[in-house]
Amino acid sequence: MKLATFEQSLRDYLTRFEYFADRFDYSHRHRTELERLIDQYSGFITDETNIKVWDELEQQGIGRISDLIDGLRKNSARCVAILEKYRALKLQKGDTEITDYFKNIEDCIEKEFGSFLITSKSRVLLVGSGSFPMTALLIAKRTGAPVVGIDIDVEAIELGEKVVEKLGQGLKIRLEKTSVEFLDDLKEITHIIFSSTVADKYALLEQLYPLTNEQVVVAMRYGNRLKSLFNYPMKETDDRKWELVDNVLRRDDIFDIALYKKIIA
Ligand SMILES: C[S@@+](CC[C@H](N)C(=O)[O-])C[C@H]1O[C@@H](n2cnc3c(N)ncnc32)[C@H](O)[C@@H]1O
């Protein structure tokens, strides 16, 4: 694909994301099209051919299209949050069908903490649990660990609680509308996962340093290069606070995972 065609595809994606995000009214009239768009975009950002074109574009300098990149990241995140709302609402009506995007996320969960395994004795915090908290459900189900999910969107918490009621009976899952620094039992948390579409995740990581215990492990979902069109990218951390202990790159998955441990002075 030529650079001009590639850039035009990005513009077309942005137009479509803005269109669906601005028209979300809970009516499901755009649901199928939005699902298709997100599945298509997930394929686009993991496509080998596009990765090569993106690298060529980066070599020429991407400053020129930085507004387009920011717009894509912001509006694709809005659409993913909407898609989770659709899925939660569908579940209330008994529909459990799952799209490629969700399959991809669920596959990622399997590999989340690499060697820092979650056991029934762990305590997990998920920042940006969303309206369909599948990470919380899968972790609680597979490990027996208590999971707290937080989100800044009150509606995501309300819908998420209904999903947990339906799919997570008996599991130790708590959802709260709060910002991470206000969580009461932060010192007991052993594993933290940041959703990839949380824009301020690195600022929150910085804030968490004095508030968490010494053993805590953080899985930061992120996407660089072409994947940064769908994810907030990795950033440098303060090298007196957080050490990057693993960087799990998955070619076919929509985001990668950076694992951090605390540096103890
Ligand atoms: C769509 S969901 C989960 C998406 C996907 N599973 C992922 O890993 O990115 C992302 C959620 O993060 C929430 N969110 C965004 N910024 C946040 C923040 N600073 N603290 C907590 N939740 C946040 C959004 O409201 C949204 O519901």
Tab-separated table of all heavy atoms in Angstrom, residues 201-203 205-206 220 224 233-240 242-244 260:
chain	number	residue	atom	x	y	z
A	201	LYS	N	-2.629	6.664	32.023
A	201	LYS	CA	-2.160	5.498	32.802
A	201	LYS	C	-0.754	5.686	33.377
A	201	LYS	O	-0.476	5.231	34.486
A	201	LYS	CB	-2.258	4.217	31.951
A	201	LYS	CG	-1.485	4.243	30.655
A	201	LYS	CD	-1.907	3.113	29.723
A	201	LYS	CE	-1.162	3.221	28.407
A	201	LYS	NZ	-1.599	2.273	27.411
A	202	TYR	N	0.135	6.375	32.666
A	202	TYR	CA	1.494	6.541	33.214
A	202	TYR	C	1.526	7.576	34.341
A	202	TYR	O	2.319	7.445	35.276
A	202	TYR	CB	2.501	6.863	32.107
A	202	TYR	CG	2.997	5.579	31.455
A	202	TYR	CD1	2.367	5.057	30.332
A	202	TYR	CD2	4.049	4.860	32.009
A	202	TYR	CE1	2.783	3.847	29.775
A	202	TYR	CE2	4.471	3.648	31.460
A	202	TYR	CZ	3.843	3.156	30.345
A	202	TYR	OH	4.256	1.951	29.810
A	203	ALA	N	0.648	8.568	34.287
A	203	ALA	CA	0.561	9.533	35.402
A	203	ALA	C	0.015	8.810	36.633
A	203	ALA	O	0.475	9.022	37.763
A	203	ALA	CB	-0.349	10.693	35.005
A	205	LEU	N	0.340	5.589	37.265
A	205	LEU	CA	1.388	4.684	37.748
A	205	LEU	C	2.342	5.443	38.679
A	205	LEU	O	2.717	4.947	39.744
A	205	LEU	CB	2.152	4.093	36.557
A	205	LEU	CG	3.299	3.148	36.888
A	205	LEU	CD1	2.786	1.861	37.543
A	205	LEU	CD2	4.110	2.781	35.645
A	206	GLU	N	2.690	6.633	38.277
A	206	GLU	CA	3.573	7.489	39.085
A	206	GLU	C	2.931	7.741	40.460
A	206	GLU	O	3.561	7.575	41.497
A	206	GLU	CB	3.779	8.806	38.306
A	206	GLU	CG	4.540	9.890	39.012
A	206	GLU	CD	6.050	9.771	38.800
A	206	GLU	OE1	6.452	9.100	37.837
A	206	GLU	OE2	6.793	10.334	39.626
A	220	MET	N	0.990	-3.162	32.344
A	220	MET	CA	0.538	-1.971	31.622
A	220	MET	C	0.257	-2.373	30.178
A	220	MET	O	1.177	-2.693	29.421
A	220	MET	CB	1.657	-0.932	31.676
A	220	MET	CG	1.327	0.376	31.039
A	220	MET	SD	0.092	1.269	31.968
A	220	MET	CE	1.084	2.104	33.192
A	224	ASN	N	2.634	0.420	20.766
A	224	ASN	CA	3.535	1.370	20.112
A	224	ASN	C	3.395	1.234	18.595
A	224	ASN	O	2.674	0.376	18.106
A	224	ASN	CB	4.988	1.088	20.504
A	224	ASN	CG	5.293	1.538	21.924
A	224	ASN	OD1	4.471	2.165	22.585
A	224	ASN	ND2	6.481	1.211	22.401
A	233	PRO	N	0.555	4.647	23.982
A	233	PRO	CA	1.849	3.962	23.916
A	233	PRO	C	2.587	3.872	25.254
A	233	PRO	O	2.184	4.478	26.237
A	233	PRO	CB	2.640	4.811	22.922
A	233	PRO	CG	1.972	6.125	22.892
A	233	PRO	CD	0.564	5.954	23.318
A	234	MET	N	3.683	3.121	25.221
A	234	MET	CA	4.535	2.982	26.398
A	234	MET	C	5.290	4.291	26.631
A	234	MET	O	5.623	4.983	25.673
A	234	MET	CB	5.544	1.852	26.143
A	234	MET	CG	6.385	1.511	27.349
A	234	MET	SD	7.822	0.569	26.856
A	234	MET	CE	7.211	-1.050	26.986
A	235	LYS	N	5.541	4.621	27.910
A	235	LYS	CA	6.339	5.813	28.218
A	235	LYS	C	7.474	5.416	29.141
A	235	LYS	O	7.386	4.397	29.824
A	235	LYS	CB	5.463	6.854	28.930
A	235	LYS	CG	4.501	7.567	28.028
A	235	LYS	CD	3.864	8.732	28.757
A	235	LYS	CE	2.873	9.439	27.853
A	235	LYS	NZ	2.055	10.398	28.570
A	236	GLU	N	8.490	6.254	29.184
A	236	GLU	CA	9.581	6.048	30.140
A	236	GLU	C	9.022	6.232	31.545
A	236	GLU	O	8.180	7.105	31.767
A	236	GLU	CB	10.652	7.126	29.934
A	236	GLU	CG	11.482	6.955	28.688
A	236	GLU	CD	12.568	5.912	28.848
A	236	GLU	OE1	13.253	5.937	29.888
A	236	GLU	OE2	12.698	5.063	27.948
A	237	THR	N	9.513	5.432	32.496
A	237	THR	CA	9.105	5.660	33.892
A	237	THR	C	10.300	6.226	34.650
A	237	THR	O	11.433	6.121	34.193
A	237	THR	CB	8.675	4.343	34.555
A	237	THR	OG1	9.712	3.383	34.359
A	237	THR	CG2	7.380	3.812	33.973
A	238	ASP	N	10.031	6.806	35.793
A	238	ASP	CA	11.091	7.310	36.657
A	238	ASP	C	11.940	6.117	37.104
A	238	ASP	O	11.421	5.184	37.727
A	238	ASP	CB	10.415	7.992	37.872
A	238	ASP	CG	11.424	8.631	38.811
A	238	ASP	OD1	12.586	8.173	38.822
A	238	ASP	OD2	11.040	9.562	39.534
A	239	ASP	N	13.251	6.121	36.770
A	239	ASP	CA	14.049	4.915	37.037
A	239	ASP	C	14.408	4.735	38.512
A	239	ASP	O	15.125	3.808	38.876
A	239	ASP	CB	15.279	4.838	36.120
A	239	ASP	CG	16.172	6.045	36.287
A	239	ASP	OD1	15.954	6.810	37.241
A	239	ASP	OD2	17.100	6.214	35.457
A	240	ARG	N	13.872	5.616	39.378
A	240	ARG	CA	14.025	5.377	40.819
A	240	ARG	C	12.757	4.732	41.375
A	240	ARG	O	12.664	4.391	42.536
A	240	ARG	CB	14.263	6.693	41.565
A	240	ARG	CG	15.631	7.308	41.293
A	240	ARG	CD	15.628	8.761	41.641
A	240	ARG	NE	14.535	9.437	40.918
A	240	ARG	CZ	14.149	10.683	41.114
A	240	ARG	NH1	14.723	11.413	42.029
A	240	ARG	NH2	13.156	11.214	40.409
A	242	TRP	N	9.907	2.736	39.113
A	242	TRP	CA	9.358	1.532	38.483
A	242	TRP	C	10.358	0.935	37.513
A	242	TRP	O	10.895	1.645	36.660
A	242	TRP	CB	8.056	1.863	37.728
A	242	TRP	CG	6.950	2.299	38.625
A	242	TRP	CD1	6.513	3.581	38.820
A	242	TRP	CD2	6.136	1.471	39.463
A	242	TRP	NE1	5.482	3.599	39.719
A	242	TRP	CE2	5.216	2.313	40.135
A	242	TRP	CE3	6.077	0.099	39.718
A	242	TRP	CZ2	4.272	1.838	41.030
A	242	TRP	CZ3	5.125	-0.376	40.612
A	242	TRP	CH2	4.239	0.479	41.258
A	243	GLU	N	10.597	-0.368	37.645
A	243	GLU	CA	11.527	-1.055	36.741
A	243	GLU	C	10.731	-1.890	35.739
A	243	GLU	O	9.837	-2.662	36.141
A	243	GLU	CB	12.434	-1.970	37.578
A	243	GLU	CG	13.447	-2.701	36.728
A	243	GLU	CD	14.160	-3.814	37.501
A	243	GLU	OE1	13.859	-4.013	38.700
A	243	GLU	OE2	14.987	-4.482	36.876
A	244	LEU	N	11.078	-1.747	34.472
A	244	LEU	CA	10.443	-2.575	33.441
A	244	LEU	C	11.076	-3.963	33.513
A	244	LEU	O	12.253	-4.120	33.198
A	244	LEU	CB	10.685	-1.935	32.064
A	244	LEU	CG	10.120	-2.677	30.862
A	244	LEU	CD1	8.601	-2.688	30.870
A	244	LEU	CD2	10.621	-2.044	29.557
A	260	TYR	N	5.899	-4.051	35.182
A	260	TYR	CA	6.739	-3.230	36.050
A	260	TYR	C	6.744	-3.770	37.473
A	260	TYR	O	5.721	-4.254	37.962
A	260	TYR	CB	6.212	-1.782	36.104
A	260	TYR	CG	6.277	-1.075	34.780
A	260	TYR	CD1	5.154	-1.043	33.935
A	260	TYR	CD2	7.445	-0.446	34.343
A	260	TYR	CE1	5.204	-0.401	32.699
A	260	TYR	CE2	7.495	0.186	33.108
A	260	TYR	CZ	6.376	0.208	32.298
A	260	TYR	OH	6.429	0.842	31.086
